[in-house]
Amino acid sequence: MQHSIDGNRLWARLMAMAEIGAIPENGSCRQSLSDEDEAGRTLFLKWCLSRGYKIRRDRIGNLFVRRAGSHPEAAPVLIGSHLDTQPTGGRFDGVLGVLAGLEVLETLDDRGVETTRSIELCVWTNEEGCRFQPAMMGSGVACGSLDLETALSARDISGITLAGEIARHGYDSHPVPRLDEADCYIELHIEQGPILEAAQKTIGVVTGGQGIRWYELSVLGEETHAGPVPMALRKDPVPMLTQIIQLVQAIGRINADARCTIGKICLSPGSINVVPGCADMTVDLRHPDEAGLDDMHRRLMDGLEMIRRAHGEVELQVRPIWHSPVIAFDQHLIEAVRTSASNRQLPFQRVTSGAGHDAFNLARRLPATMIFIPCRKGISHNPREYAEPYHVSAGANVLLDVVLGRAE
Ligand SMILES: [Zn+2]
């Protein structure tokens, strides 16, 4: 028998949560471990407590809300997302996955459905990474990919430590985060990109996350006066810089899945009448399969070597600083999402996640997947972020189906 969630209740809760830390243009500001973030969690826990769910906290501030199954020893099904937002965040990023998770638990209660496995709704601390770095912190610590002490020593821009905020909100008396044996993890999220809306699809069957490689490049020349020194005698980093920009743009066009971004360029000293002594830049390469990302990496390295040889007047330094491998979600869970969308006659398509999510940390430990719904014009991390109530309900229903299939 097919059950369905209460779309009105879920929508009302999304709107109620958005009132906490409300900012102009319908946005929300609940940066991690701020008073607003804590107030949002308090409201969420009030809803959970009224249903009698068992609540646990850990020392990094993660919350775990458990609806017990009939076999408490069976590995639980984990669902969840995050309640923190960007400083100018919207109403759906993260919040949707948490409140749709609560909606799944309540729907099972309302329909009197007993599951074999327990279902555990997780609220991960500091997914956004805007106030404290790195992002996806709570899930990273729980999954063992980030050290607890490193996380606790993070400072915000005003010098406040994460450890201090953890203590202020009373999380420091709770146990060290540790992911218990679990069956799987499923996260519903807005797409944060324009693909589903453009294709008029309701459900994104997320197959994984893009691999990412980051580089810092420096071109070192010699600062000199813009007037007296003839062009041929300069050690100007800019001619090499322009070739590097062309190279990176060309790599971004080798196929439709490739993404290349030069996000930062800095010329020093940055004066109108000085030939710069140094050009610093960053390169971000992404691709949904590792072989594709490797190919982009090789093209970048080979291209930079050719450019280096053509410009003996300046020195090129290349520093690869980060490599996050491609995340492949679990085939059975991907298939369960696809089947649910198909059974409910919801238009769907397979997508890869362009943004990072807590599910990536979980996927390194457990079978995991994500479900995406469209957001208007792909806009996110913005007060104007918006998801249609119909899409919100559809996504929560698919989450319900996949969870039930796993927990029954
Ligand atoms: Zn998010």
Side-chain angles (χ1 to χ4, degrees), residues 51-126:
R51 288 287 187 156
Y53 301 133
K54 187 175 160 226
I55 293 164
R56 291 185 299 136
R57 297 168 173 83
D58 70 19
R59 234 180 106 195
I60 197 77
N62 294 325
L63 306 176
F64 302 94
V65 176
R66 180 175 286 226
R67 180 180 187 270
S70 58
H71 287 58
E73 73 289 353
V77 172
L78 308 186
I79 53 179
S81 197
H82 59 97
L83 288 173
D84 66 316
T85 73
Q86 291 283 324
T88 52
R91 299 183 161 214
F92 302 92
D93 175 4
V95 192
L96 172 67
V98 173
L99 297 185
L102 176 58
E103 183 56 44
V104 165
L105 301 190
E106 295 192 283
T107 299
L108 296 178
D109 281 350
D110 295 346
R111 309 283 184 272
V113 177
E114 190 176 272
T115 58
T116 307
R117 298 182 188 281
S118 300
I119 303 168
E120 189 135 73
L121 171 55
C122 313
V123 179
W124 305 111
T125 298
N126 187 29

Side-chain angles (χ1 to χ4, degrees), residues 81-82 93-94 127-128 187 189 192 357:
S81 197
H82 59 97
D93 175 4
E127 191 276 345
E128 294 291 357
E187 180 169 347
H189 207 282
Q192 303 182 284
H357 294 288

Side-chain angles (χ1 to χ4, degrees), residues 77 136 259 292 396:
V77 172
M136 296 172 268
R259 306 275 187 276

Side-chain angles (χ1 to χ4, degrees), residues 9-52:
R9 176 171 61 192
L10 173 54
W11 187 261
R13 291 216 168 127
L14 285 165
M15 297 306 110
M17 184 60 73
E19 292 307 317
I20 298 177
I23 57 170
E25 293 190 87
N26 295 321
S28 297
C29 173
R30 289 188 308 276
Q31 290 207 68
S32 189
L33 297 167
S34 63
D35 289 348
E36 292 77 17
D37 186 27
E38 194 55 23
R41 287 159 161 253
T42 302
L43 176 63
F44 166 72
L45 289 175
K46 191 184 95 180
W47 291 329
C48 296
L49 284 168
S50 72
R51 288 287 187 156

